[in-house]
Amino acid sequence: MKVGTDSVILGAWTSVSHNPFNVLDIGAGTGILSLMIAQRSDAQQIEAIEIDDDAYEQCVENFEHSPWGDRLFCFHASLLEYIETVDEKFDLIICNPPFYSEDYKTPNKARNLARFSDAMPMEHIILAVANFLSDTGKFSIVLPYKEEKTFIEEASLIGLLPNRILRVKGNESSLLKRSFIEFSFLKNESVIDELIIETERHQYTEEYINLTKDFYFKM
């Protein structure tokens, strides 16, 4: 699957200023978020979970061929299987989850797994964070903007508080499309920013370029 803009923004925007020792990437796909965090930080242990067979194999291959292969590990498992077998706390959890909750399914099973939320319900993600996030850790996720309020309310039930929010839209005239939210168990005043990706088709804003330029060959 192609590298999506959501993953690029999430991997570049997520804070590593607290110097995480270990990182958990929930629903890794082909491993882009883990690779970006490995590039941006000195984290010694970055674990990725991926349930789809082909994506898992691609993720492992990408990890092995990266400069950070000794710090990257991918598990072929569902999120619930991982919760049942792993007992560890992580300083950073990052997730680009499936968005779609409609009944519609494509004929492509792998595409369904990656795109439809029944493969990874939001409740399972919150359960995982409750199990795995350290007391001073951070949890970053990207969601449709329309789901921002509901997810923040659900996360608050386990004591997670939004510390940073980045609301993103494609261009100046378009509606807000995505919310990137960084949570922790620590109470801080939420910092809310907005990012516009393009001024016109394939013409990127200075803010988007500054955020993501370290991850593109041409920007």
Side-chain angles (χ1 to χ4, degrees):
M1 296 180 183
K2 294 180 179 180
V3 172
T5 302
D6 289 343
S7 289
V8 174
I9 294 175
L10 184 62
W13 176 80
T14 292
S15 175
V16 292
S17 61
H18 62 305
N19 299 316
F21 174 82
N22 56 0
V23 180
L24 178 62
D25 179 1
I26 297 175
T30 56
I32 180 175
L33 290 177
S34 293
L35 290 163
M36 292 178 75
I37 296 300
Q39 179 176 323
R40 294 183 56 221
S41 76
D42 295 322
Q44 295 301 299
Q45 177 187 342
I46 302 175
E47 296 192 2
I49 313 167
E50 178 51 51
I51 190 173
D52 178 70
D53 295 347
D54 292 337
Y56 165 76
E57 291 178 6
Q58 185 67 69
C59 185
V60 170
E61 183 177 342
N62 288 341
F63 285 179
E64 290 175 347
H65 287 84
S66 79
W68 315 285
D70 60 333
R71 298 193 278 144
L72 295 159
F73 309 90
C74 190
F75 294 86
H76 190 198
S78 71
L79 181 53
L80 288 183
E81 288 171 335
Y82 188 84
I83 291 171
E84 290 172 358
T85 57
V86 174
D87 182 17
E88 190 169 357
K89 296 295 184 181
F90 292 87
D91 300 319
L92 175 62
I93 299 175
I94 192 166
C95 181
N96 180 1
F99 292 149
Y100 296 82
S101 58
E102 296 90 346
D103 292 333
Y104 172 76
K105 293 289 188 293
T106 73
N108 186 317
K109 182 180 178 182
R111 176 68 63 175
N112 288 341
L113 275 175
R115 298 183 70 198
F116 289 88
S117 58
D118 54 3
M120 190 194 298
M122 291 299 176
E123 294 81 5
H124 292 180
I125 297 173
I126 292 174
L127 174 63
V129 176
N131 275 271
F132 294 132
L133 190 64
S134 67
D135 291 343
T136 57
K138 298 180 186 295
F139 163 52
S140 289
I141 189 168
V142 53
L143 300 166
Y145 172 68
K146 65 182 181 180
E147 295 183 17
E148 176 189 298
K149 182 179 178 182
T150 299
F151 192 86
I152 288 174
E153 289 174 351
E154 292 186 5
S156 71
L157 298 177
I158 63 165
L160 278 176
L161 302 169
N163 298 151
R164 298 166 63 222
I165 299 174
L166 179 68
R167 294 169 178 156
V168 176
K169 57 183 180 179
N171 56 61
E172 183 67 46
S173 60
S174 62
L175 298 174
L176 288 169
K177 184 178 182 182
R178 296 282 187 261
S179 288
F180 295 75
I181 314 173
E182 182 178 276
F183 293 92
S184 76
F185 293 120
L186 306 175
K187 187 173 183 178
N188 295 297
E189 186 175 348
S190 295
V191 176
I192 301 175
D193 293 311
E194 184 174 300
L195 175 69
I196 298 170
I197 296 175
E198 296 177 322
T199 55
E200 54 185 277
R201 189 64 176 159
H202 300 308
Q203 298 296 314
Y204 299 107
T205 63
E206 183 178 353
E207 291 78 12
Y208 181 77
I209 291 171
N210 289 336
L211 178 64
T212 63
K213 62 186 177 183
D214 289 343
F215 306 100
Y216 286 106
F217 289 117
K218 296 180 180 180
M219 175 56 77

